[in-house]
Every structure is written in structure tokens, then in C-alpha cells.
Amino acid sequence: MSAKLPQKINAVLFDMDGVLYDSMKHHAITWVDAFKQYNIDFPEKEAYLNEGSTGDATIKKAIKQIENREATTKEVEDIYDEKTRLMHQLPPAEIIPGMQELMQELRAAGVKIVIVTGSRQPVLLDRLKNDFQVEKEDIVSGWDVTHGKPHPEPYLTGLKKANSSADETIVIENAPLGAKSASAAGIYTIAINTGPLKKETLINAGADKVYKTAGEIGEFLKKKGLIQFK
Ligand code: CA
């Protein structure tokens, strides 16, 4: 499902992991290492394909695919605890280059910014205030929705928070499940491909455009006259 490019934009809804922060490689490596301790050979690419899914769902799917059996409740808990423990040992993820500037340009053009993330990590949510001047009321997190991505609920909730309609809003995503969620909500979706996935994987999931950098997204919006400076 693809959406039409808006004539004007009131709001841009940003995903967080892999869009604002280069945190996906941390998630990928800690998934691989956590599974390894349980003798399960989890391919790193799976972390990117499952991005946006819950930890439980990722573990159950992996064990089903790799070992052709159901995961036990204890396994699910243990592997997820180990993954979380390994994440806490890593340094904070870096900001994706150019994202602060892109957000500043959008705000200068009067565009409302809302963050739509499945994350439930308070530390990361606090960082949004410091790094991107995003207030708590402008964040849709994993705590605010019943259905996570790829369900449209997160982005529909984002539209409400932004007080904008789908045809005057753009989503910036990096993950197939995120692009699916946004396009199911009827919103024009630009993917920033910061990971190892093929462009086609994001297009097939519903992304309307795929770029490599924040700078390219800014150029596109300017070329289309969507960022008009006041
Ligand atoms: Ca993401």
C-alpha cells in the first residue's frame, strides 16, 4: 500500500532506533550473543528484519525457524534478560548524522515533530529531550499502545498527538515492520536505510522512498517545496 506525497506537511513522525540513534547494531550484536549462550545460531540480519517487533516475538520466531520447535517460557525470559544485560554494557548509541539538523529545519518551517517508537526504555526516552528537544507529550512509546508495529496503531496514535491528518504528515522509518505500520496508517513513508537490508525489502514493506542519509531526506523535502522557510 502506498500513500500520495502530501502537498504540504503539518507533522513529521520520526521512529527512534535506527532513525535518530544508531542503536540497531547494538541490538543486532546483543541478540546474536544472547542466543549464542543458548547454543542458538541467530543470524544478525534477522535482528534487522524483526526490528520493531517485541523481544518475546523475536525469540519465539527464531527458535521456531532455527530449531523447528516452540520456545519454552523460561527460554524466552532468559534470552531476553541476557540480551538486556548485554545492552546495558554497551556505550550509549550515537546520534544518526544530520538528524538534529533535519529536525531543526522542519521546526523552523513550522512542522510539528512527534516520535513514534516501540521502545519502553526510560533512558532512551530521556535522551530525546536532551538531544532533540522532544517533550514527553510528543512521544508515542511502547507504553502507549496495545498493538505494536507492524499494526497501524502506533502511527495512528502519533497522528492524534501531532493533531495532523494522514495526508498532511510524513513518517521517517528505517525498519520493514515500521514502514508497514506507517503505510497501514495511510501515511507517506520515507525510509532511511541505516542498516544492511536491501532497498527492496523496505519498498515491499510499504516505504514510498528510500534514502541513505538525513541530508538526502532534507534535500528531497526542499526540492518538493515541502519545507518552506518562514
Ligand atoms: Ca527503527
Side-chain angles (χ1 to χ4, degrees), residues 58-200:
T58 300
I59 296 165
K60 285 177 186 162
K61 184 181 159 202
I63 290 181
K64 184 86 193 156
Q65 276 181 352
I66 297 164
E67 305 215 320
N68 195 26
R69 62 178 179 86
E70 303 301 323
T72 66
T73 309
K74 183 164 179 356
E75 266 177 332
V76 173
E77 281 173 14
D78 288 353
I79 295 171
Y80 194 69
D81 285 351
E82 180 59 13
K83 198 260 178 196
T84 307
R85 192 184 70 80
L86 293 170
M87 269 305 268
H88 285 145
Q89 290 178 344
L90 294 175
E94 283 169 25
I95 295 169
I96 298 273
M99 274 299 165
Q100 287 170 315
E101 292 78 4
L102 177 61
M103 225 182 254
Q104 274 164 16
E105 287 181 332
L106 288 166
R107 286 199 177 108
V111 173
K112 172 81 182 169
I113 305 294
V114 168
I115 311 303
V116 179
T117 174
S119 176
R120 294 184 173 201
Q121 293 184 59
V123 184
L124 272 181
L125 301 177
D126 281 344
R127 281 192 71 189
L128 289 173
K129 167 87 174 155
N130 289 321
D131 297 337
F132 292 96
Q133 293 76 52
V134 173
E135 301 293 336
K136 280 218 158 49
E137 62 263 28
D138 294 328
I139 301 171
V140 178
S141 79
W143 301 108
D144 301 315
V145 296
T146 312
H147 306 285
K149 301 169 186 175
H151 195 281
E153 185 185 345
Y155 280 108
L156 292 173
T157 310
L159 287 177
K160 261 187 224 155
K161 275 209 194 258
N163 197 21
S164 187
S165 60
D167 58 358
E168 291 183 330
T169 301
I170 282 177
V171 164
I172 303 184
E173 256 293 348
N174 74 308
L177 297 182
K180 220 173 200 175
S181 167
S183 80
I187 309 170
Y188 189 88
T189 306
I190 300 176
I192 176 164
N193 194 5
T194 54
L197 298 180
K198 287 200 176 100
K199 182 178 176 178
E200 290 70 36

Side-chain angles (χ1 to χ4, degrees), residues 24-32 41-50 196-197:
M24 270 314 294
K25 55 188 177 198
H26 291 183
H27 285 294
I29 193 73
T30 52
W31 272 127
V32 172
D41 191 13
F42 182 78
E44 191 172 348
K45 196 179 162 197
E46 273 296 307
Y48 292 92
L49 289 169
N50 286 319
L197 298 180

Side-chain angles (χ1 to χ4, degrees), residues 15-19 24 51 149 173-175:
D15 169 54
M16 183 174 74
D17 282 299
V19 169
M24 270 314 294
E51 187 189 345
K149 301 169 186 175
E173 256 293 348
N174 74 308

